[in-house]
């Protein structure tokens, strides 16, 4: 199982770009990297997923270096509503979904 | 399309009481999961079911039992509740389709006094 390590918390201001890095040194060949966002009193929701290089969608970008031992979630021009906890999850995609263990997450606080 | 539905939303138990948390998904997903989240903490995996008819322990299974009733439903039972089980419980499901994410319910907030 690939264990993940993220910063416990980060602060930012509205309009800035925020980059949250996750370390996963023992990622396996079949593992994908998925990021989730969680607001208080809600279940986590999917933001973005990738395997290698760069993935971009309407809300974020995900950068994964060639060795795949880390990944960086990039949130462009954050707003107050981006204040949440962000989790990176590493696990096998396709086939039998096994033991999906979350790390402790990064609490992002966006200030005006 | 409701996604993942958890019942009840809130529950208060006395120490020693039992209860079952219900979870159902309507997305035809194969795998289902139960997590707990203590205040200010991350998600910890209790049990999961990779497919109908199978269940496996996660990180913190002690004090819990699960049943994968059918493909749609995955229940979590506390046989004798303890104050340490006060938490928010999230159910999630995922398909085995390539490149798919977890879908979470809105949680059950459980207080054991």
């Amino acid at each position: 199982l690939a264990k993940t390590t993220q910063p416990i918390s980060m602060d930012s201001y509205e309009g800035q770009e925020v980059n949250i890095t996750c370390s996963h040194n023992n990622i396996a060949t079949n593992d994908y990297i998925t990021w989730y966002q969680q607001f208080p009193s809600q279940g986590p929701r999917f933001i973005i997923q990738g395997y290698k290089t760069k993935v971009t969608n309407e809300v974020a970008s995900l950068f994964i270096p060639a060795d795949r031992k880390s990944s960086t979630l990039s949130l462009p021009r954050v707003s107050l509503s981006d204040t949440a906890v962000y989790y990176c999850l590493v696990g096998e995609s396709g086939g039998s979904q096994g033991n999906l263990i979350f790390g402790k997450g990064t609490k992002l606080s966006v200030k005006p | 399309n409701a996604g993942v539905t958890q019942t009840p939303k809130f529950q208060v138990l006395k120490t020693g009481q039992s209860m079952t948390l219900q979870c159902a998904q309507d997305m035809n997903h194969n795998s289902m999961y139960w997590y707990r989240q203590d205040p200010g903490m991350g998600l910890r995996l209790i049990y999961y079911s990779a497919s109908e008819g199978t269940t496996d322990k996660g990180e913190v299974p002690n004090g819990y039992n699960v049943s994968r009733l059918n493909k749609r439903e995955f229940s979590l039972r506390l046989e004798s509740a303890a104050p340490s089980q006060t938490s928010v419980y999230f159910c999630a499901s995922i398909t085995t389709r390539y490149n798919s994410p977890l879908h979470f319910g809105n949680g059950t907030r459980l207080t054991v006094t």
Side-chain angles (χ1 to χ4, degrees):
Chain A
L1 301 170
K3 182 179 176 181
T4 60
T5 304
Q6 303 172 230
I8 296 295
S9 62
M10 294 182 71
D11 292 331
S12 183
Y13 291 94
E14 282 191 292
Q16 289 187 332
E17 179 184 72
V18 171
N19 296 308
I20 305 174
T21 297
C22 178
S23 296
H24 29 80
N25 289 321
N26 59 340
I27 188 169
T29 303
N30 290 338
D31 285 342
Y32 266 70
I33 301 151
T34 311
W35 284 81
Y36 295 85
Q37 176 191 55
Q38 186 181 29
F39 297 114
S41 302
Q42 294 184 23
R45 66 176 189 176
F46 170 78
I47 302 176
I48 196 166
Q49 184 180 71
Y51 184 82
K52 60 181 179 181
T53 63
K54 177 183 175 182
V55 179
T56 298
N57 62 22
E58 62 276 9
V59 298
S61 294
L62 178 59
F63 299 91
I64 305 167
D67 66 6
R68 303 199 330 121
K69 293 183 184 299
S70 66
S71 58
T72 299
L73 173 71
S74 181
L75 303 171
R77 297 182 297 282
V78 294
S79 64
L80 295 176
S81 63
D82 292 314
T83 293
V85 179
Y86 293 83
Y87 294 94
C88 121
L89 178 66
V90 173
E92 183 177 346
S93 188
S96 175
Q97 300 291 349
N99 215 340
L100 296 178
I101 304 289
F102 282 82
K104 297 185 187 303
T106 298
K107 185 175 183 179
L108 173 65
S109 298
V110 180
K111 302 173 184 177
Chain B
N1 191 341
V4 178
T5 302
Q6 292 185 235
T7 55
K9 287 187 171 63
F10 301 94
Q11 183 71 48
V12 178
L13 292 178
K14 293 186 189 306
T15 298
Q17 287 185 319
S18 62
M19 80 160 294
T20 300
L21 281 65
Q22 307 287 353
C23 175
Q25 51 90 10
D26 61 2
M27 297 171 284
N28 201 35
H29 285 175
N30 294 307
S31 302
M32 298 185 72
Y33 296 76
W34 276 106
Y35 293 90
R36 63 175 286 176
Q37 186 171 39
D38 299 335
M41 304 292 286
L43 297 150
R44 291 187 292 170
L45 180 63
I46 306 171
Y47 270 93
Y48 67 99
S49 170
S51 61
E52 187 179 354
T54 68
T55 59
D56 286 284
K57 295 178 181 179
E59 302 172 272
V60 287
N62 291 344
Y64 305 95
N65 287 302
V66 290
S67 295
R68 183 74 183 267
L69 304 170
N70 48 54
K71 192 171 185 179
R72 290 186 63 246
E73 298 172 290
F74 188 37
S75 63
L76 179 71
R77 182 160 178 84
L78 287 70
E79 290 291 351
S80 178
S84 60
Q85 294 178 304
T86 293
S87 190
V88 180
Y89 291 84
F90 289 103
C91 176
S93 69
I94 190 170
T95 181
T96 51
R97 191 182 73 244
Y98 191 70
N99 210 13
S100 62
L102 282 163
H103 294 257
F104 282 84
N106 287 326
T108 294
R109 187 175 298 274
L110 175 67
T111 302
V112 183
T113 60

